[in-house]
Amino acid sequence: MKYLSKYEIAFKGLKEGNHQFDFELDDKFFDKFENSEVKKGSLLAKVFLTKQSTLMILEFAVKGTVELMCDRCLDQYNQEIENKSKLFVKFGLEGEELSDDVIVISFDDHQINVAQFLYELVILGLPIKHVHPVKKGKSTCDPEMIKKLEEYLIVEDFKQNEEPVDERWNELKKLLDNK
């Protein structure tokens, strides 16, 4: 947990107004999160803090690449990530999370650790399907694995296996179609 302390922003001594903080997210950063989808990456994170008397607004922006396993060929590839988010931080008697983008921290707190927010921003920036990018109209997946997949792919012709339809159903379908 000591490694993640470098992602803390000390806001108590800051004047009201805008402030910027830059962080690097590397392999060591992702190692600190258990069961992470991302093991390796190289991203630059910028945090824009707007401090006001009663609240703070944190705007996050991450950009870079992470290494993922392709869902199709199981080979590693680099996925570009770019994502932005905003977090509102209010002050209260005790810390709590009001919603996804609003948290309350204690009046006694003097710093906030943004590591978890940056990690979530990266994970939410991942595509649903993890596949190699297509270049010049061709997939960049491992050709040997694709050949193996095609070898074991079972394609059935459903038209041949269909049982004949009972003609009585056709009359009922007409009622559905209002014919």
Side-chain angles (χ1 to χ4, degrees), residues 29-87:
F29 174 80
F30 293 108
D31 284 343
K32 300 300 176 190
F33 295 93
E34 205 170 299
N35 301 322
S36 176
E37 235 181 298
V38 177
K39 301 293 181 206
K40 295 182 178 182
S42 176
L43 297 108
L44 178 63
K46 293 182 183 279
V47 180
F48 301 97
L49 183 141
T50 304
K51 185 176 179 188
Q52 300 172 359
S53 59
T54 58
L55 78 124
M56 293 186 300
I57 302 169
L58 297 169
E59 296 179 55
F60 300 98
V62 293
K63 186 176 184 177
T65 59
V66 295
E67 189 175 277
L68 297 173
M69 186 184 339
C70 179
D71 292 339
R72 187 178 299 142
C73 70
L74 303 178
D75 195 15
Q76 299 293 326
Y77 78 100
N78 288 329
Q79 174 71 50
E80 290 189 18
I81 301 280
E82 188 171 349
N83 205 1
K84 294 180 179 183
S85 180
K86 195 180 271 193
L87 177 70

Side-chain angles (χ1 to χ4, degrees), residues 122-139:
V122 170
I123 297 302
L124 291 173
L126 295 176
I128 294 172
K129 283 185 174 181
H130 302 165
V131 291
H132 281 89
V134 176
K135 293 183 181 173
K136 296 182 182 176
K138 292 191 175 188
S139 172

Side-chain angles (χ1 to χ4, degrees), residues 144-157:
E144 289 181 32
M145 182 61 86
I146 297 301
K147 196 174 190 179
K148 211 46 143 167
L149 285 171
E150 288 172 353
E151 185 180 318
Y152 291 103
L153 185 64
I154 299 172
V155 180
E156 292 186 32
D157 187 6

